[in-house]
Amino acid sequence: MRLLPAPRLKTCLKTLLGTTAVSTAVLTSTTLAGPGAQAAGGVTITSYGHSALLISGGGKTVLVNPFQAVACAAGLAEPRVSADVILASSRLKDEGANVARGKLLASPGSYRVGGLSIEGIAAPHDRFGGRRFGQATLWRWKQGGLEIAHLGGTAASLGPSDRVILGRPDVLIIGVGGGAKVYTGPEAAEVVRELQPRRVIPVQYVSGRKPPKDCDQGGVEPFLKAMAGSKVNRPGTSLSLPGKLGDSLMIEVMR
């Protein structure tokens, strides 16, 4: 996806949303791929379970949603690793725990960290405007030549401004296990159809085991059923992607 220059993107948003909506949208940094983030060559993604992924590429490492082994993450090994930047959906213990080493970002805004330009977008964590679990942050950045979007911790529908800012990601990380603060399988499938990514990595679901105590999430199967007809790959705990992807959709079910 070729990103629009800031003036053109703002004009497009005004046309879609009106001037008032644009004034409240996250527009402070629309050109997300700085020189250090534009290096091609692809990425390697390592899964630690739940919604924790370590993404290496372009000379940088990004860790998303480090967790403590509580609630739906109970029984998993905590991702006690180092990264240039850590992107958390929130500061809840199962998706924004202080267990890894690196610059931790959890609030919406425009950031430049180690040559990476990162955009954080505010979104309700739940289906009730944030009244139950507060606000979450959706993330978008470019790494290893790929546009990446991280929606690993929300159950809220995307608004028009969210869809414009997120654009068409090459890689979409999205929660699918359901419960109070994560998309259900059908809800996640609808977001995939809206954004039309090239690769989808489902996260935030219970895999191959009985749900832990105090966990309200289910498995990945309802999402795969809702995406019937899509190609599915099961790479295990490690996935390598080239810097340029084909146009067809692939679901990458990691462990």
Side-chain angles (χ1 to χ4, degrees), residues 72-152:
C72 292
L76 298 176
E78 296 173 351
R80 296 183 176 276
V81 298
S82 297
D84 293 304
V85 61
I86 301 168
L87 302 179
S89 296
S90 73
R91 292 308 310 270
L92 295 176
K93 291 182 179 180
D94 64 343
E95 60 186 23
N98 189 25
V99 298
R101 297 175 298 278
K103 175 68 174 179
L104 174 64
L105 304 178
S107 300
S110 299
Y111 301 91
R112 174 63 69 89
V113 181
L116 288 172
S117 293
I118 302 165
E119 195 75 14
I121 306 162
H125 213 322
D126 51 52
R127 298 174 183 83
F128 306 99
R131 291 190 295 276
R132 288 190 64 188
F133 290 99
Q135 296 294 302
T137 303
L138 316 180
W139 296 103
R140 178 190 173 206
W141 72 102
K142 187 170 185 176
Q143 184 180 1
L146 297 172
E147 301 285 350
I148 303 174
H150 168 33
L151 281 64

Side-chain angles (χ1 to χ4, degrees), residues 160-175:
S161 62
D162 300 325
R163 291 191 291 271
V164 171
I165 295 170
L166 290 169
R168 184 188 182 188
D170 294 304
V171 180
L172 173 64
I173 303 163
I174 186 167

